[in-house]
Amino acid sequence: MTKIGLEIHSQLTELQSKLFCSCKANYREFQPNENICPICMGLPGSLPQLNQKAVEKATMIAMALNCSTPEKITFFRKNYFYPDLPKNFQITQLNIYGETSVGGPGILMVGDKKIRITRIQLEEDPGRIIYEGSSEKNQITLVDYNRAGTPLVEIVTEPDFENPKEVREFLNILSDLLANLGVSDPSLEGAMRADANVSIEDGNKVEIKNIGSFHDLEKAVHFEITRQQSLHARNIPIIQETRHWDDKRKITVSSRSKEEDLDYRYFLESDIPWVRIGNQIKDKLKSEMPETISSKKERYVSKYNIPAQVADVLSSDKFYSDLFEKSHTTENAKEVANIITTDLMGLVDTREKRESSKLTALHLKEIADSIQSGKITRNSAKNVLYEILKTGKAVSTVISDLDLDNVFSESELLKIIESVISEETQAVEQAKTNPQTINYLVGKVMQKTKGKADPTYTLDLLKKKIN
Amino acid sequence: MNLKISALQFTREVKTGNISVEDFIGKTMEHIEKVDGNLHAFLSLNDNAVNQARDIDKKIKSGDKIGQCFGMPISIKDNICIKDTKTTCASKMLENYIAPYDATVITKLKQQDAIFVGKVNLDEFAMGLSTEFSAYGPSKNPWNTDYVPGGSSGGSAVSVSAFECVASLGSDTGGSVRNPASFCSTVGYKPTYGLISRYGLISYANSIEQIGPLTRTVEDAAFMLNLIAGLDSNDNTTINNNNADYLKDIDSGIEGKKIGIIKEMIGEGINPTVLSATKNAISKLEELGAICEEVSLDMVKYSVAAYYAITTTEAGSNLARYDNLRYGYDFSVEGYAFNAYIEKARKKLGPEVTRRMILGGFVPSSGYAGKYFLKALKVKSKLTRQIDEAFKKFDLLISPTVPILPFKIGEKINDPASLFLIDINTVTANLTGKPAISIPYAISNGLPIGIQLIANSMNDKLLLQAARALEKTVKLPEVPI
């Protein structure tokens, strides 16, 4: 049997400042080594000042993953050398002397499958190392400390996954959950990273590190399982080791460094006193926690009669569900959901497009209302959306600019259909035997009406006319 | 110009216009020039001190608001950061390190118009108790320059004792304020852990160390505490003291107070002269109405071992950053492999620091942590329980500050283990977080002896009152410089 466990690192990107100083948690907008101070640079005499908000957000994650949350938490020093680590120790958490990290054992459901969470800990991200130069000889190593001290949550799972697909599903659910909690934006580069450990047939555990994306993680796990299976089939022992994912060759490679032998000499970080997280704070955090994805989905289905599949897509994406919440009314909810899932998600499918979009909730509400009142067709709505995303103009202006508001009456539409039938005699003949061809005719009608005709209605009328 | 006045006297003299700050600072700098070549208290001097004094005089003349220090000359141990000033920790590793920010204590003293005359010597990274482990050479005891001034805040004690300043800030990890205070006949005070912000104090063993003042009088120590104590958002371990005034009621006396004589600190290994001075002090306290009684803290016998296990562990981690990437040798454009960097940079650390860092790599390592580090933590918590128990019965505890008299420079430097044992009376206050003070009590054959009082956590006021009462019974000869 294959067993896979994960160690996921997620930055708390929605926080203002770093874990122990007032430098920005959003280090991405800075030139190298501009987002630093004596504390995150570990200058002599500086002391960590714990970001209370980070503790709260991390606790929220623990609660959302159904983890136990201890009354008191504390921090430890993990001592090791690395150029990206300013103090040559990392402030992190540890549970070997009792449960003192933000989260203990928990559970996350992936479909019907239970994935056990081992623990959740809060720690500081190191800086970034950039290697430059074409060959090993002239290679230089650059260190950017802008990231050093960014709040990071480590989520460790039990080896409960049996195949790469489950891993992928879990990571999707987890990243949606973190985004929905408003603690992290997993779409930011480097905001969410994961290591995996893989074993087969109760054999030795192999850790895979250095995996750049979730997509690669799936591939790395797949490769590692295949590698181990082929060794096993030939009776070659599988060594317990750390392997690195080679992104170029798409294989895992044994890391010759003796990482597994490192002695981190963990001990209590006494510069940060124990933090008490009593029931009062936990209750407060619980009340501040946003509605869960599954609860949203249920509400969308039961209250607005939105199809389950649409509700599922809508609720699991924070950006779109937030937009939905702000733009819908009881009357137009279904229509808004429909516009978002069928049109908007296709038009705005990257982070950059989200950021440059000029669409507001009011726009969306007015478009849905315009469809419902019959002012424009569903088909035209897509054109309106496209225009607004670019310009941000008012819905009424866009509708009149594009001349979309004169929806054709039945008799006007019939006239156009008749003219298409007379022009496209060959296609009409084909349509009688081949139903696919009729779509071509619908397209022609749409062309003549500048998309203002309702396609379903047009199809009905066409069918009647031809037969 | 009389440079031998106390800090409070200085502020009164300036306030009443009897002396000008410029005169006093000018004379102080001249005096330093004259005596420090021999004493070697200072590692660097503030070239701008006289100008700063002149500015303060102007402020006083024009009736501007003036801080409580009135331009008082203070020396600062060179492990406390002053912005744009070299902060070397008496190490070659930080030979050219210029701090880019002020320690919280420095910010507070600047706001009170103190003048920092210079940075003073210490054992490298505050590891030692004789100042002999300074990479820049030892400081000398003003009472007899053949002798060590104690340490690690040796430069602080020398500068106060030899009138090179009126007060100094040191740091105390295992007695580093009290030990040199005792050896140089000044007051040395380590407050309750958390009472003074450590922000800007370069860490040696952060879980137990505190900044503390070295002064001529107990009143001065209380005055300094008033200026620098209190909650600091830059140091999460600080305690709110509600702006307590430690000078108020300092003459309350100690009548009816119960004082425990720590049995383990007056037994084996104690110098007979030190013992008789301690007994004398106890009888003086009894004359003042205190009730003195012996008390046993049997964990004290393990305290030095525990102290070194804990401090080397923390030092190994705190000093790990000095790895030649950002401190140490100049960057070579050719570059080195990472391991070559570390190897080369570590050579800038002196023998005592090297010793403790090696221990710090071993004591908490896997397979040995249980035997050494975790056991040391157990001693620490047991000792704390014992002393807390003692404070249910006693208001204060008493012992000699150091069980021996000052020793000669070079006498013990090749026997580090014997040096370790000298800490026996001072480390308890650090391991338990309690406030403790050393008061100059006697001079024997020209060498000073100090008495230590310890109080319960946050009872600093009571501690200072008792120290003041004892101090009033003492009349000592003047330092022969």
Side-chain angles (χ1 to χ4, degrees), chain A residues 37 47 100 116 145 183 238 280 302 309 345 353 384 401:
Chain A
C37 75
L47 298 172
T100 59
R116 291 170 300 160
Y145 292 103
V183 296
I238 295 155
Q280 220 179 333
S302 63
Q309 228 176 335
M345 282 186 173
K353 287 183 192 165
V384 176
D401 283 0

Side-chain angles (χ1 to χ4, degrees), chain A residues 362-374:
Chain A
L362 181 67
H363 283 130
L364 205 55
K365 179 189 174 295
E366 286 180 2
I367 294 171
D369 290 346
S370 304
I371 295 172
Q372 284 195 321
S373 67

Side-chain angles (χ1 to χ4, degrees), chain A residues 216-229:
Chain A
D216 277 357
L217 181 81
E218 201 178 350
K219 279 198 250 175
V221 168
H222 182 75
F223 175 87
E224 185 55 29
I225 293 168
T226 314
R227 188 188 71 89
Q228 290 187 18
Q229 278 168 345

